Amino acid sequence: MSSNSSKKIEKVLMVDDDANIRLITEMSLKKLTAWQITVAASGREALMAAEKEPPDLILLDMMMPQMDGLTVFAELKTKLGVDMPKVILMTAKVQSHEVDHYKQLGAAGIISKPFDPMTLPDQIRAIVNSES
Amino acid sequence: MKQHSEVLRSVVVTAVLVVLLSMAAVFGTFQRSIQLQSREWVIHTYQVLQQLEAVSSSLAGAEAAQSEYLQTGDQRYLERYKTFSQRAELAVNKVRQHTADNPDQQINIGSLFTKVGEKRAIMDELVNKVSPRDANSASISETETRSLRYTQEIQKILDEMKQAENKLLEERALELAENTQNGNLLLLLFLALAVGAVLLLGWFMRQYLLGRINLERMLAARAHQIQLVLDTMSDGVILADMDGKFVLFNPAAQQLIGPLYSMSPDKWSHHFGIFGTDQTTIFPAEELPLARAMRGESVDDVELYVKSPSVPSGRWISVTARPIRPSDDDVFQGAIVVFRDISERKEAEKRVSEFYSTVSHELRTPLTSIRGSLGLIEGGIAGEVNETTGQLVRIARVESDRLIRLINDILDIRKLEAGKLELRKTTTQSEDLVERSIQGCQGFADERGITLLTNIKTGGPLECDEDRVIQVITNFVSNAIKFSKPGGKVTLMLQPATAAFKFSIIDEGEGIPPDQMHKLFEKFQQIDQTDSRRQEGTGLGLAISKAIVEEHGGTVGVESQFGRGSTFWFELPAVFSPAHIIKDDTTDGGDHPALIVEDDAKLSHLLKAHLTQDGFDVLCAGTVAEAEAILSKVRPLVVLLDINLPDGNGLDLLTKLDGQAGGGEIPVIVITGGSQSSDYGNPTLVDWITKPFDSQRLTRALDKVRQGFGSAQVLIVEDDPSTRSVLKEQLKTLGIDCREAPDGQQALIELHEHEPDLLILDLEIPAPSGSQLIDQMKSEGNGSKPLIVYTASDLTEEQKQRLSLGLTAHLTKSRTSEEQLLNTVRSFVSRLLLEKVRESNKEVIDG
């Protein structure tokens, strides 16, 4: 209803170390939305991709080897500054009830895994709209 | 006590002994004096006898000398005679003296005195008249014969006297002997008693000493045992006196927190390195359990972290402390603290927590892929699916959903058990929660052919964790759906309870067998059910719901009639007491009636909630006929009207209303699908809202209606000028007039001079503080003033209770949006104005 004020999502960067989840998420978003989807399999890849072409939204997995979601998030903030896109954290570790802490860090929202790929775009839109 | 009686006994025996001994002494002295007296008397008698003898012998001597003289004429005999004669007189005088106190002897002594006198006279006569030559003359002989007779008489008297004295002597000797014997016997008795008493005393002393010795041995043994216990136990124990001096402690205490020596209690935290649960901030020394116990508190199971040079690796301890107050047996005053090492438990808890976190992650990651793949296939993203495959995929998807729910439930239960369920409380409208839960369950209900109904009898703000409460309602509703027969209905009712909202979920299913009721809310409990429905749940839902409700300070329960259905209910504490929307089974509409004419039940509920929040007593009509029936009895303060009604046009109703006496003054808000008809321009029409319904617009329309009721004055007490002016501006848009006070002092002046209708109070203001201000208002009879407490701190239920006046709401700044604050003010003001309208109407009627 009030989505008119938010910046339109066009480019989405999706970061997850699990290849299956990357595939499912990508498939869901590509089939159900017109967004342009880029995927990254690690924090490092994500940083490179985001620097190369800053997205409008990042779907960021929390638990990743070497560089976890929060570290990626912090580095993105220092690297991109004002161009920092909205970030939705994807996590299998917590339930949606414990989002306060992450919201304080500046995340737009949390989507807990497992998620329903058929309603994933709606969930993302709901978070982005409630933010704006 | 035993010792006491022994001492008492010894004292009594000693006293008896002293009395006995002194009595013996007094008696002995008395006896002695009697004896001495008796002896004197005997001596005296002997002396009398002796004198009597002297009388007799002197007279005999005198007689013999006289006769010698008469025969020889020798002057020497004459001298001798005189000596003896004088002696006799002397002796008689002595006898007289000695027997003066003896009346029995007086007659005898008298005659003796006379006779001896006469005898001497005769003898003197003989000596003087007769010379030695005439010795043989007749007169001599006659006088001699007389003298002889006197001698005999005197002898006789003397004998009598001697006899009397001897008798007296005998009597006195006897008396003396008797006295002496009795006295000695009594003395002996006293002494015997005294000896007995001494022996008794000795025995008592012995018993007492033995008792003491036994007691001391026992005490020593007990002290030894206690020492052993203290030395052996792994818990640390410290006993401190009122100055914080450590008067007793055990080795474990030193092992756990390092060497103990006395110091000022305010140094304890620093010295022993005692930290709070965050392991980094030093624990305030005055809050340490031992310090609190010294102030008289009992403290249980406080968890602290110790890290110091003595405990370099750090250690968790759980501490319990008790005050020691002086008692009958002990004057010691201080406190005791007992603490144990809980590092292992803490470590285990941490590992368990990590384990759950990991397991959760490890289970969810593959499930994400499974659930995601199935969802994409089922959703047709991967291409057309034939019916059989679709059915199978659906089964797999439903079951993986169940698996996910189970994992979520297990994690919830784990959090609840660890006391780590953190509620994210916000202020929410209770009726919204019902609506949102129902929306979430609608799909499942449709699937099962169940009709979901809502029965909203009240509404208003509720401070709760929305997601968690929706989780609870959803859980109850989906259970109700699960256990209902297809075609049945499930009703979700919201009604007011005492300072709480009561949510009831009513089904018409099988009901619950009475013997199963008690275990419903336990973990992993499902009612024994032979059919397949048993398989659907995790058995954790009710236990989780109960825990969530209780975490909110609410209660949960169930009523069921086997075979006829069940009602699961829960109550959550309200921000302020909820009011009835419709008084059951009455159509008088209460004091502040409002009428909703709307055939869409859901919209009708929503509108009802809106009006209820503003303090209206809402009446609902679904048809023109119902509306007319109500209007014939009640004159509402506002009418919310739909135009397209099943049995006619709402506009007709309006026209009729205009025709009624006073009817044309009732404000009307039209809510309809169609656009405003140009030919309708009633002056009391407040707004014409077109569907889809926009609640903001209704709020504004109601603001306008309210302004028609009058104006209310609000006093904002807030020390921050910018917050104050923002609030004032916002309230101005609502048509509410405000006054401001930057501190408690100014607030009091404002209260007295302008008597505002409502107070918005920041607690953290300069003196007097917000809470002092409330106290003062209570004492000044201003205790029923409507109040909105708007504070930065989280208030406990107890504090809220205390910081309340009349209609009161407590809002926490960080958790309350501006909109929520405004809604609360709006709701309060609306209620106040409605009350004013009611009172003025009453005056009109009464007048």
Side-chain angles (χ1 to χ4, degrees):
Chain A
M1 230 182 276
S2 54
S3 60
N4 49 355
S5 62
S6 71
K7 195 183 162 194
K8 222 170 143 62
I9 304 170
E10 278 169 359
K11 286 176 279 184
V12 176
L13 172 62
M14 195 260 142
V15 195
D16 202 309
D17 63 317
D18 188 302
N20 294 333
I21 295 176
R22 280 203 304 275
L23 183 71
I24 288 161
T25 314
E26 196 183 356
M27 200 184 278
S28 156
L29 296 181
K30 275 193 173 157
K31 297 273 179 174
L32 296 171
T33 70
W35 303 336
Q36 182 193 322
I37 315 294
T38 316
V39 292
S42 72
R44 206 142 304 284
E45 270 184 39
L47 287 173
M48 274 156 46
E51 269 185 300
K52 205 170 118 195
E53 199 181 353
D56 306 312
L57 175 74
I58 302 178
L59 300 176
L60 182 59
D61 184 26
M62 297 273 287
M63 283 270 278
M64 292 186 290
Q66 279 130 32
M67 195 187 240
D68 69 6
L70 289 179
T71 317
V72 176
F73 188 39
E75 289 214 7
L76 277 173
K77 265 208 259 188
T78 51
K79 282 196 170 154
L80 297 178
V82 286
D83 292 334
M84 181 69 183
K86 288 189 192 315
V87 174
I88 294 175
L89 296 172
M90 309 269 290
T91 176
K93 208 165 176 179
V94 295
Q95 287 174 261
S96 58
H97 308 112
E98 298 153 311
V99 302
D100 273 2
H101 174 64
Y102 299 111
K103 280 205 168 173
Q104 271 167 13
L105 293 173
I110 296 250
I111 292 176
S112 63
K113 294 188 206 171
F115 54 86
D116 177 2
M118 297 307 289
T119 59
L120 182 63
D122 290 342
Q123 283 189 62
I124 293 169
R125 278 191 206 103
I127 290 172
V128 171
N129 287 341
S130 72
E131 264 282 292
S132 54
Chain B
M1 290 316 275
K2 206 186 159 213
Q3 268 184 326
H4 272 197
S5 73
E6 274 178 11
V7 168
L8 193 71
R9 227 188 299 170
S10 303
V11 167
V12 168
V13 170
T14 312
V16 167
L17 182 66
V18 167
V19 168
L20 278 174
L21 284 174
S22 51
M23 272 172 75
V26 168
F27 184 77
T29 319
F30 175 67
Q31 189 67 23
R32 183 79 190 142
S33 74
I34 287 175
Q35 279 179 8
L36 284 175
Q37 182 111 35
S38 300
R39 192 159 298 154
E40 234 164 70
W41 280 117
V42 171
I43 291 166
H44 180 75
T45 312
Y46 272 119
Q47 280 172 342
V48 172
L49 280 172
Q50 207 179 350
Q51 294 306 325
L52 287 172
E53 203 57 52
V55 171
S56 154
S57 62
S58 305
L59 282 174
E63 213 158 10
Q66 177 211 0
S67 104
E68 286 295 323
Y69 172 67
L70 287 177
Q71 277 167 23
T72 60
D74 190 343
Q75 281 300 314
R76 280 185 306 165
Y77 288 111
L78 185 65
E79 285 304 311
R80 202 191 218 173
Y81 158 75
K82 281 182 180 167
T83 312
F84 274 111
S85 175
Q86 273 166 5
R87 267 193 207 165
E89 194 190 0
L90 210 68
V92 170
N93 280 331
K94 274 196 180 164
V95 170
R96 196 173 189 168
Q97 264 175 28
H98 284 307
T99 56
D101 54 350
N102 192 343
D104 295 343
Q105 296 282 51
Q106 290 309 309
I107 301 163
N108 282 333
I109 195 72
S111 44
L112 181 66
F113 191 71
T114 321
K115 295 284 181 199
V116 171
E118 283 170 8
K119 168 81 180 177
R120 280 180 65 214
I122 293 167
M123 284 197 294
D124 282 347
E125 191 185 327
L126 276 172
V127 173
N128 294 334
K129 281 182 188 169
V130 186
S131 66
R133 293 162 294 162
D134 309 329
N136 292 323
S137 70
S139 66
I140 291 169
S141 162
E142 190 260 336
T143 310
E144 275 186 335
T145 314
R146 216 162 21 114
S147 172
L148 199 65
R149 207 174 61 232
Y150 270 103
T151 305
Q152 279 167 354
E153 278 175 15
I154 287 170
Q155 198 56 54
K156 203 179 146 202
I157 292 170
L158 283 174
D159 285 346
E160 266 177 36
M161 285 186 77
K162 274 186 200 163
Q163 215 177 334
E165 284 299 319
N166 273 329
K167 204 179 147 204
L168 201 62
L169 187 65
E170 220 168 276
E171 274 174 16
R172 280 184 178 155
L174 207 66
E175 198 182 326
L176 177 66
E178 212 168 90
N179 272 345
T180 313
Q181 203 183 0
N182 284 348
N184 286 348
L185 268 175
L186 264 172
L187 205 59
L188 211 64
L189 188 67
F190 278 132
L191 285 175
L193 281 173
V195 168
V198 167
L199 286 175
L200 201 62
L201 189 64
W203 191 73
F204 282 150
M205 293 289 279
R206 178 178 172 277
Q207 290 298 100
Y208 175 67
L209 284 176
L210 280 178
R212 289 288 308 217
I213 290 165
N214 271 340
L215 204 64
E216 266 166 31
R217 272 193 200 140
M218 251 166 62
L219 281 174
R222 180 53 57 88
H224 180 66
Q225 288 159 7
I226 290 170
Q227 192 61 50
L228 272 177
V229 170
L230 284 173
D231 289 355
T232 317
M233 69 195 285
S234 55
D235 285 11
V237 177
I238 303 174
L239 193 70
D241 66 12
M242 288 310 281
D243 301 322
K245 198 176 140 205
F246 302 142
V247 292
L248 188 149
F249 51 81
N250 67 347
Q254 304 221 54
Q255 273 164 25
L256 288 175
I257 63 170
L260 286 166
Y261 47 87
S262 295
M263 71 195 73
S264 166
D266 57 3
K267 296 206 174 76
W268 286 344
S269 281
H270 261 104
H271 177 82
F272 296 110
I274 302 171
F275 297 85
T277 42
D278 63 354
Q279 294 177 262
T280 46
T281 39
I282 283 279
F283 199 78
E286 69 277 9
E287 287 305 311
L288 283 172
L290 185 57
R292 283 168 63 189
M294 279 162 60
R295 294 198 299 267
E297 276 180 78
S298 285
V299 189
D300 284 292
D301 303 324
V302 174
E303 290 184 0
L304 297 170
Y305 184 69
V306 180
K307 192 177 167 85
S308 66
S310 309
V311 192
S313 54
R315 168 175 287 135
W316 282 96
I317 53 172
S318 169
V319 189
T320 292
R322 292 279 179 280
I324 302 172
R325 299 187 174 91
S327 69
D328 290 344
D329 298 318
D330 192 0
V331 293
F332 180 78
Q333 193 175 1
I336 186 161
V337 63
V338 180
F339 48 98
R340 68 181 49 176
D341 191 343
I342 55 162
S343 305
E344 276 181 26
R345 196 188 85 200
K346 279 280 179 184
E347 182 58 32
E349 272 174 16
K350 203 174 128 200
R351 259 178 299 181
V352 167
S353 184
E354 280 168 4
F355 170 79
Y356 271 94
S357 180
T358 311
V359 165
S360 160
H361 179 260
E362 294 306 316
L363 286 173
R364 280 163 191 243
T365 303
L367 268 170
T368 308
S369 299
I370 295 167
R371 172 66 179 77
S373 303
L374 292 169
L376 290 174
I377 298 169
E378 196 190 7
I381 298 294
E384 204 60 34
V385 187
N386 71 42
E387 202 185 314
T388 322
T389 315
Q391 207 176 0
L392 291 173
V393 169
R394 204 181 74 81
I395 292 169
R397 197 264 302 156
V398 167
E399 290 306 303
S400 55
D401 277 346
R402 208 179 110 212
L403 203 51
I404 293 162
R405 275 204 307 278
L406 179 61
I407 293 169
N408 288 344
D409 281 358
I410 289 172
L411 289 172
D412 273 352
I413 278 284
R414 139 109 196 115
K415 262 184 245 159
L416 289 166
E417 281 178 349
K420 284 182 180 155
L421 181 82
E422 281 161 19
L423 297 178
R424 289 192 302 143
K425 282 193 184 178
T426 53
T427 310
T428 317
Q429 292 302 118
S430 53
E431 60 275 20
D432 287 355
L433 292 172
V434 172
E435 293 296 339
R436 283 164 60 192
S437 307
I438 287 290
Q439 279 167 23
C441 294
Q442 197 60 57
F444 185 42
D446 293 347
E447 206 175 289
R448 291 297 181 105
I450 306 290
T451 315
L452 277 186
L453 300 169
T454 52
N455 182 359
I456 300 177
K457 288 179 183 289
T458 187
L462 190 61
E463 213 173 275
C464 65
D465 185 328
E466 285 177 46
D467 292 341
R468 288 296 186 183
V469 175
I470 289 173
Q471 184 186 352
V472 172
I473 301 176
T474 306
N475 180 262
F476 283 145
V477 172
S478 51
N479 275 347
I481 293 171
K482 237 183 271 174
F483 291 100
S484 290
K485 296 177 203 90
K489 58 183 183 189
V490 169
T491 310
L492 175 47
M493 186 155 81
L494 174 63
Q495 63 196 115
T498 317
F501 287 105
K502 183 172 182 177
F503 297 79
S504 305
I505 294 87
I506 306 151
D507 70 52
E508 295 170 343
E510 296 276 303
I512 300 151
D515 61 326
Q516 308 258 359
M517 296 269 275
H518 65 278
K519 54 180 186 181
L520 274 180
F521 289 97
E522 288 171 20
K523 269 170 280 174
F524 295 108
Q525 290 293 342
Q526 278 192 325
I527 303 168
D528 295 333
Q529 196 94 33
T530 42
D531 60 40
S532 61
R533 281 180 291 185
R534 171 176 168 69
Q535 304 301 321
E536 289 173 10
T538 59
L540 291 169
L542 287 179
I544 293 169
S545 298
K546 180 170 186 272
I548 290 172
V549 170
E550 285 174 356
E551 196 74 19
H552 276 88
T555 47
V556 63
V558 59
E559 283 126 32
S560 183
Q561 267 187 300
F562 191 45
R564 297 185 61 180
S566 316
T567 299
F568 282 81
W569 58 266
F570 65 96
E571 287 183 13
L572 295 178
V575 175
F576 48 81
S577 288
H580 275 278
I581 290 181
I582 299 174
K583 290 181 181 163
D584 290 326
D585 301 326
T586 58
T587 47
D588 70 352
D591 292 331
H592 322 119
L595 175 63
I596 297 171
V597 190
E598 170 63 66
D599 61 331
D600 177 351
K602 273 194 178 170
L603 182 57
S604 183
H605 278 311
L606 200 64
L607 297 174
K608 200 196 277 181
H610 234 285
L611 288 175
T612 307
Q613 196 192 334
D614 281 358
F616 287 100
D617 300 310
V618 182
L619 298 166
C620 293
T623 61
V624 175
E626 278 174 26
E628 280 176 342
I630 291 171
L631 284 169
S632 69
K633 293 180 198 159
V634 183
R635 187 173 174 276
L637 295 169
V638 62
V639 177
L640 266 58
L641 184 65
D642 188 7
I643 301 295
N644 301 315
L645 294 165
D647 62 343
N649 192 323
L651 286 177
D652 298 341
L653 198 65
L654 267 187
T655 319
K656 263 183 206 160
L657 206 58
D658 288 346
Q660 259 181 12
E665 292 162 24
I666 300 173
V668 175
I669 299 168
V670 171
I671 298 161
T672 180
S675 57
Q676 184 170 1
S677 68
S678 52
D679 57 347
Y680 188 78
N682 188 306
T684 62
L685 178 70
V686 180
D687 198 0
W688 187 291
I689 303 170
T690 49
K691 291 179 185 174
F693 171 68
D694 176 1
S695 70
Q696 295 279 336
R697 184 142 173 208
L698 176 63
T699 305
R700 283 194 296 275
L702 285 172
D703 284 344
K704 264 191 246 172
V705 171
R706 195 185 52 241
Q707 281 163 33
F709 295 155
S711 66
Q713 198 175 62
V714 177
L715 174 62
I716 304 169
V717 187
E718 160 72 61
D719 60 342
D720 180 41
S722 60
T723 309
R724 222 162 50 219
S725 62
V726 167
L727 199 55
K728 191 177 174 179
E729 282 310 307
Q730 286 168 333
L731 291 180
K732 207 184 258 176
T733 64
L734 302 183
I736 296 168
D737 186 18
C738 288
R739 293 195 67 87
E740 303 167 45
D743 55 41
Q745 200 58 47
Q746 188 61 33
L748 279 173
I749 294 169
E750 284 287 331
L751 278 168
H752 289 152
E753 288 181 1
H754 298 281
E755 296 184 354
D757 300 297
L758 169 67
L759 199 63
I760 300 174
L761 179 63
D762 178 18
L763 286 182
E764 295 82 12
I765 49 167
S769 72
S771 58
Q772 285 167 333
L773 186 68
I774 290 174
D775 288 342
Q776 189 157 348
M777 286 178 71
K778 279 182 192 164
S779 68
E780 285 176 357
N782 240 337
S784 59
K785 183 79 60 190
L787 172 71
I788 296 173
V789 174
Y790 190 48
T791 174
S793 53
D794 275 317
L795 300 176
T796 64
E797 285 307 315
E798 201 184 329
Q799 284 171 316
K800 284 182 184 173
Q801 197 90 40
R802 197 165 56 76
L803 300 172
S804 289
L805 294 171
L807 182 65
T808 305
H810 300 91
L811 303 176
T812 308
K813 283 185 179 172
S814 58
R815 295 229 198 91
T816 313
S817 63
E818 274 169 16
E819 198 191 335
Q820 281 168 334
L821 174 63
L822 285 185
N823 277 336
T824 310
V825 175
R826 177 186 277 125
S827 161
F828 268 54
V829 167
S830 174
R831 282 160 192 251
L832 288 171
L833 289 177
L834 284 173
E835 196 55 31
K836 280 188 180 177
V837 168
R838 187 182 70 88
E839 272 166 22
S840 66
N841 283 349
K842 213 171 122 199
E843 273 165 31
V844 170
I845 294 163
D846 292 349

